[in-house]
Amino acid sequence: MAATPSGKPSPSKLREAFKVDLRELWQFVKKCHAEKMPYALVLYGVESYPQLFAQVLTEQSLTQVAKKYLEQGIYDTLEEAREGLRWSVADSPLFGEFEDKLPTVQSLFEPFAESLGEIGGYDVLTKAATNALAALLQEGLFGSEAEREKLTIMICVEDVQKDYTLPSAKKLNSNAVYEAYKKAITPEGPFRLARTVSRSPDGRSLYITGSRRNPG
């Protein structure tokens, strides 16, 4: 069995791999989803194993999933459902269609993923991806300035101990787009965090310990 490579992939090669795959991804979107209105381009990852998936969120796909949750009674109105699900990448009906759209990146990075670990791997991936996206923005890949203001670009890695989302969103979008996104995902109003829940032996009482402050 071949040994797992140590170290890191070449930053320049990884950046170029992202550029190759993202160009092809956007061509695919323009060709196969020309009738849709994209509002977000997200490089999405989850805990444990460092890997990014390119995802495109559209107004039409948002309405599709919002209707599903509305029918299940989770939301009271379609507008409320759309607002609540707008930034939920994993709920996108198009997730499976886009999840294999970074083949060049995956081929180059996969041999190093295990040795780098979760945070180390995502540090390498997000740095290369951010630099690639910044270069593609300079090239005008994602359209005119007016078109760009309708598209939020970011890297979102869920359930890890480091925030990649806001730093990438700040670097890759105008200040107006970044502030609008930040406001949309920031909880408002009274907040209480429950840290521990315990039931009494007789089953008649529930005890909760927590905080009135949001640690995030």
Side-chain angles (χ1 to χ4, degrees):
M1 185 174 67
T4 301
S6 58
K8 303 176 183 179
S10 164
S12 60
K13 289 183 178 180
L14 190 57
R15 181 184 67 246
E16 290 306 309
F18 270 110
K19 289 171 70 174
V20 167
D21 287 345
L22 289 167
R23 285 194 188 100
E24 292 187 2
L25 165 74
W26 205 245
Q27 290 173 2
F28 173 81
V29 171
K30 293 298 184 181
K31 178 181 179 180
C32 299
H33 294 281
E35 77 288 357
K36 293 185 171 67
M37 298 172 57
Y39 65 85
L41 169 59
V42 185
L43 297 188
Y44 177 76
V46 295
E47 63 179 331
S48 300
Y49 188 84
Q51 182 178 5
L52 291 176
F53 302 91
Q55 293 293 318
V56 177
L57 308 180
T58 72
E59 296 291 348
Q60 290 80 2
S61 63
L62 175 60
T63 297
Q64 182 182 340
V65 71
K67 286 180 177 179
K68 182 183 75 172
Y69 277 80
L70 182 62
E71 290 170 358
Q72 294 173 358
I74 297 175
Y75 291 94
D76 294 326
T77 66
L78 181 61
E79 182 180 356
E80 181 185 335
R82 279 175 49 86
E83 182 179 353
L85 294 163
R86 176 167 288 274
W87 303 107
S88 180
V89 181
D91 279 305
S92 171
L94 303 177
F95 194 98
E97 188 172 348
F98 289 114
E99 65 178 344
D100 62 348
K101 295 302 183 184
L102 295 179
T104 313
V105 172
Q106 181 64 11
S107 177
L108 178 61
F109 182 77
E110 189 172 19
F112 301 91
E114 186 174 347
S115 63
L116 286 170
E118 180 181 275
I119 298 299
Y122 276 125
D123 282 347
V124 171
L125 282 171
T126 56
K127 182 176 181 181
T130 301
N131 290 337
L133 284 164
L136 293 172
L137 286 165
Q138 287 291 325
E139 293 177 13
L141 177 67
F142 305 110
S144 65
E145 184 176 344
E147 290 173 315
R148 274 287 297 110
E149 290 297 296
K150 299 177 182 178
L151 184 71
T152 302
I153 299 177
M154 60 186 171
I155 301 170
C156 175
V157 183
E158 293 189 341
D159 300 321
V160 298
Q161 296 298 313
K162 186 172 181 178
D163 177 25
Y164 297 100
T165 308
L166 286 177
S168 64
K170 187 172 185 177
K171 184 170 183 178
L172 296 170
N173 299 278
S174 70
N175 188 59
V177 171
Y178 167 73
E179 291 296 337
Y181 169 71
K182 184 179 178 182
K183 181 179 180 181
I185 65 168
T186 301
E188 296 181 355
F191 183 92
R192 181 182 291 276
L193 174 67
R195 296 186 180 276
T196 307
V197 179
S198 179
R199 187 183 63 178
S200 65
D202 62 8
R204 300 178 63 183
S205 300
L206 193 66
Y207 299 92
I208 299 175
T209 63
S211 169
R212 295 181 186 274
R213 299 182 62 191
N214 183 348

